[in-house]
Amino acid sequence: MIRPLDNARRSARDLSGVWHIAFDPDESGEAQGWHRGLARESALPIAVPGSWNEQLAEVGYMNYVGSAWLETRFWLPPLGPGDEAVLRFGSVDYHAEVWVNGQPAGRSGAAMLPFEVPLDGLAKPGSEVTLVVRVSNLLPVDGPTQRVTQSDYITEGRYRDEYLPAVRFDFFPYGGINRPVYLITRPKAGLRDYRLAIDMAALEVRCALRDGQRLVGSLSGFGGTWRGEAEGPDAAVRLAPDPARLWSPEEPNLYTLQLDVYAADGTLIDRVTQRVGLRNFAVEGRQVLLNGAPYTLKGFGKHEDSPIHGRGLNGPQMIKDFRLLKWCGANSVRTSHYPYAEEFLDLADEIGLLVIDEVFSINLDFRKVNAATLAAHKQAAAELIARDINRTCVIAWSLANEPGYLAEPDYRTESPAYWRDLFGHARALDPSRPLTHANVGYAGNDDPAFAEADLLMINRYHGWYSEPAQLDRATARLNADFDAIAAHGKPILVAEFGADALAGQHASYDQLFTEEYQASFIRAYWQAITAHPAVVGGHIWAFADFRTAQHGRRVVQNLKGVFTRTREPKLAAWAVRELWRDDG
Ligand code: BDP
């Protein structure tokens, strides 16, 4: 899927701004004709992108789960000959159905990923268009992150597990149009997709051209331009700069790739540009290699979460986060626990950060997994890979977070075939990147998914949820885990480890929730991580405090951030900087 672009042959207009919203708890909106437009008297203003929760908390929607209708109007300009107009949604949480001028126009695919809606036949160029989106933040029962409701907790007698709103994960289920919506115009006969194979010496571009079309690819940067041409339904161009400047988090050297498609008579049909770096990331034995050399992954798990915006794209905070990541000396992140905005990946390419790109699949409960779950999980992986396969910063695909969390016996019996199918599917779509998933202790050190993964990620909280405030016992258990998992002969990444700290809470002895204990916890884990030959690094949970659904174990937020939710450093942030930065 090609990003929104503004150039000689394409245009992209951001429809962000103040839209209107009407909530629909009893699903009567369509019967009331809301798909044709909202009555201004009953609709509330809402900023897009942005989650409805904190924006409209005072009118009662902080914990709202269900459907809501959002509406805006925009001007569709006259189109050039041979051009088409589409709407492109970065992500609507979690599902959307779209009407254009009262006509059904399309719906979203996998949650938290982009989708397009063609305007052809629905809107007249040179006219005002009414756009209505029905959004639901209720997950499907058989999705890769399954729905959970209050009544599930009651039927299963899991009263103490209940969150408000009900969720199967430890973050807030924000609803709304959380990423920008673009009005795109582009040539009908232009490129719909292209694939890059990125390596250290060269870049290979593949795309499907129509009869008579010619592709001119060029890579420019660092004082040179390298060109190649191709034709045909499987056109391929190899661009090899000489000398090649490599990309890495330490030196994020990017070239500009330009793909021009010409008609037989020499007119320019389409133009696509992308920033791209040359690099290689590989798993070899029990190591990971970046550009041929062993590499230690240092970084965090994060969330898309900020005050008021919720999960809505927050540009200034995103920039700040990258500066803080660099300030700490981090070189990598996992997009826990869902695909992040493409704007985030742009910055990772540009500022230099390795990204483990995660499918939105959390705590998959194998008592309830069925063929539809697997199909939806494969679809979510396919859509993520299609969106991000051309990214320099993406080094691995994480297909799930903490499946088997309930230690359900079905996990042992049902999951091996499930993982074989899912990992096989992802590997066929992208044979070039390692596959992984984040293991939870309950799923065991012999987690069936380990058989399929190339890189073994583990989330561990010894010293927090168990062995509280006892770091000697905690690190002994951690080392025992390392030894057991090392037997698989693959590299291990500790994808989560961390302790909550309430900023301003202090103690002179090991005490949960203090800034000192969080810092000591991280130091002790880092020592164990760097000492074990099979462990290639660690990602601290979490980068910053984040809002969760309500539960007695959470003080409004999960406080495992080394930064507060408003990005002030806790003691641990300074400790990490000292551990990770050579000049720390
Ligand atoms: C892990 C989850 C993560 C949680 C974390 C925690 O992957 O989403 O926030 O634990 O408990 O199990 O802080």
Side-chain angles (χ1 to χ4, degrees):
M1 189 184 249
I2 296 174
R3 298 284 305 284
L5 290 168
D6 233 341
N7 64 31
R9 293 302 298 121
R10 291 173 172 250
S11 77
R13 201 166 95 223
D14 188 351
L15 301 182
S16 299
V18 176
W19 295 31
H20 283 82
I21 188 169
F23 291 89
D24 190 11
D26 56 5
E27 302 285 344
S28 66
E30 200 170 351
Q32 295 185 61
W34 290 0
H35 54 290
R36 287 189 289 272
L38 302 178
R40 277 294 144 89
E41 317 77 74
S42 52
L44 306 167
I46 183 160
V48 169
S51 306
W52 60 58
N53 311 80
E54 281 189 58
Q55 284 193 67
L56 296 173
E58 286 67 31
V59 253
Y61 295 104
M62 185 65 212
N63 294 312
Y64 182 78
V65 174
S67 292
W69 297 69
L70 284 93
E71 183 223 75
T72 192
R73 290 182 195 167
F74 65 88
W75 178 256
L76 179 63
L79 295 177
D83 283 355
E84 65 178 6
V86 299
L87 293 170
R88 194 210 202 247
F89 296 80
S91 158
V92 179
D93 298 332
Y94 298 111
H95 290 282
E97 222 173 315
V98 181
W99 284 264
V100 170
N101 290 334
Q103 312 276 348
R107 56 181 63 219
S108 58
M112 303 208 190
L113 283 164
F115 62 97
E116 290 184 354
V117 170
L119 292 179
D120 217 18
L122 299 173
K124 215 163 81 30
S127 71
E128 193 188 54
V129 178
T130 303
L131 168 62
V132 175
V133 186
R134 178 166 61 192
V135 181
S136 170
N137 62 340
L138 190 63
L139 285 165
V141 177
D142 298 325
T145 298
Q146 300 144 313
R147 175 187 303 178
V148 66
T149 59
Q150 247 89 30
S151 60
D152 293 329
Y153 292 120
I154 296 164
T155 347
E156 292 171 19
R158 296 169 52 206
Y159 297 100
R160 288 193 172 210
D161 289 346
E162 181 174 339
Y163 282 87
L164 180 78
V167 280
R168 105 177 15 265
F169 42 72
D170 183 32
F171 57 92
F172 203 85
Y174 294 114
I177 300 181
N178 281 326
R179 293 181 190 150
V181 183
Y182 282 99
L183 168 64
I184 287 176
T185 67
R186 63 189 182 198
K188 277 189 191 154
L191 286 178
R192 283 296 160 268
D193 204 1
Y194 60 97
R195 286 288 151 102
L196 302 185
I198 300 174
D199 213 330
M200 288 196 280
L203 186 73
E204 195 181 74
V205 190
R206 282 185 179 274
C207 62
L209 297 177
R210 294 162 211 244
D211 271 356
Q213 292 186 340
R214 189 165 52 92
L215 171 74
V216 177
S218 68
L219 197 62
S220 36
F222 313 104
T225 298
W226 294 266
R227 281 199 182 77
E229 294 196 18
E231 291 178 357
D234 189 17
V237 170
R238 192 169 179 275
L239 302 165
D242 185 20
R245 290 260 196 141
L246 294 182
W247 179 96
S248 68
E250 295 72 35
E251 267 188 74
N253 295 317
L254 290 179
Y255 292 88
T256 299
L257 172 71
Q258 183 165 316
L259 303 175
D260 284 346
V261 179
Y262 291 97
D265 66 2
T267 46
L268 178 68
I269 299 176
D270 198 5
R271 169 167 294 166
V272 169
T273 48
Q274 185 199 321
R275 301 276 284 153
V276 62
L278 299 175
R279 56 103 185 111
N280 177 277
F281 182 82
V283 166
E284 214 177 87
R286 295 198 314 196
Q287 291 189 315
V288 294
L289 308 181
L290 180 67
N291 297 336
Y295 200 78
T296 302
L297 296 168
K298 310 184 244 185
F300 297 93
K302 281 181 100 279
H303 267 297
E304 291 183 322
D305 170 84
S306 64
I308 307 169
H309 295 66
R311 223 175 68 74
L313 185 73
N314 181 341
Q317 179 180 277
M318 207 163 54
I319 300 281
K320 174 89 179 163
D321 283 4
F322 273 87
R323 290 304 157 200
L324 290 175
L325 286 162
K326 290 278 163 183
W327 180 86
C328 287
N331 59 24
S332 49
V333 292
R334 174 172 60 121
T335 67
S336 41
H337 294 306
Y338 39 79
Y340 287 4
E342 289 157 289
E343 291 79 356
F344 179 88
L345 299 179
D346 289 342
L347 290 173
D349 281 339
E350 187 174 343
I351 300 180
L353 195 73
L354 303 173
V355 174
I356 297 175
D357 211 356
E358 189 154 278
V359 172
F360 179 35
S361 172
I362 305 169
N363 294 4
L364 202 53
D365 176 352
F366 271 78
R367 298 171 310 168
K368 295 175 183 169
V369 157
N370 56 34
T373 323
L374 176 60
H377 205 154
K378 285 163 82 171
Q379 181 60 25
E383 287 186 32
L384 175 67
I385 293 171
R387 190 192 73 164
D388 294 343
I389 193 164
N390 293 337
R391 288 282 178 179
T392 305
C393 60
V394 173
I395 52 164
W397 307 110
S398 165
L399 300 182
N401 182 67
E402 301 196 340
Y405 182 82
L406 298 173
E408 64 276 21
D410 316 60
Y411 189 64
R412 305 262 133 223
T413 52
E414 303 302 309
S415 84
Y418 187 98
W419 298 131
R420 215 171 303 127
D421 201 336
L422 179 70
F423 278 72
H425 176 71
R427 209 179 293 287
L429 292 169
D430 182 9
S432 77
R433 286 182 178 86
L435 299 177
T436 185
H437 94 299
N439 153 276
V440 64
Y442 302 122
N445 288 338
D446 58 349
D447 188 329
F450 284 161
E452 309 300 327
D454 305 297
L455 169 67
L456 309 184
M457 295 201 299
I458 61 170
N459 298 349
R460 289 297 181 271
Y461 291 93
H462 310 305
W464 183 258
Y465 293 120
S466 60
E467 301 86 30
Q470 299 155 74
L471 286 174
D472 288 346
R473 284 179 63 207
T475 46
R477 283 199 63 195
L478 181 65
N479 275 309
D481 287 341
F482 290 166
D483 291 341
I485 298 168
H488 296 276
K490 299 173 181 178
I492 302 169
L493 171 69
V494 186
E496 286 185 26
F497 64 102
D500 288 69
L502 180 63
Q505 190 76 44
H506 296 286
S508 54
Y509 49 90
D510 283 342
Q511 167 68 53
L512 299 188
F513 292 103
T514 60
E515 292 195 37
E516 287 78 6
Y517 184 68
Q518 184 188 36
S520 304
F521 182 106
I522 289 169
R523 276 198 211 94
Y525 265 66
W526 193 252
Q527 213 278 324
I529 286 167
T530 45
H532 200 286
V535 183
V536 296
H539 283 174
I540 296 167
W541 189 256
F543 173 73
D545 295 345
F546 56 90
R547 185 182 276 282
T548 64
Q550 302 195 46
H551 191 281
R553 319 192 282 173
R554 294 287 176 256
V555 190
V556 186
Q557 301 166 36
N558 180 313
L559 297 173
K560 292 192 186 68
V562 305
F563 296 96
T564 65
R565 196 171 183 223
T566 45
R567 276 46 181 174
E568 291 89 25
K570 300 182 194 170
L571 209 59
W574 289 97
V576 170
R577 182 176 154 89
E578 216 172 283
L579 290 171
W580 288 351
R581 275 181 66 138
D582 301 335
D583 60 352

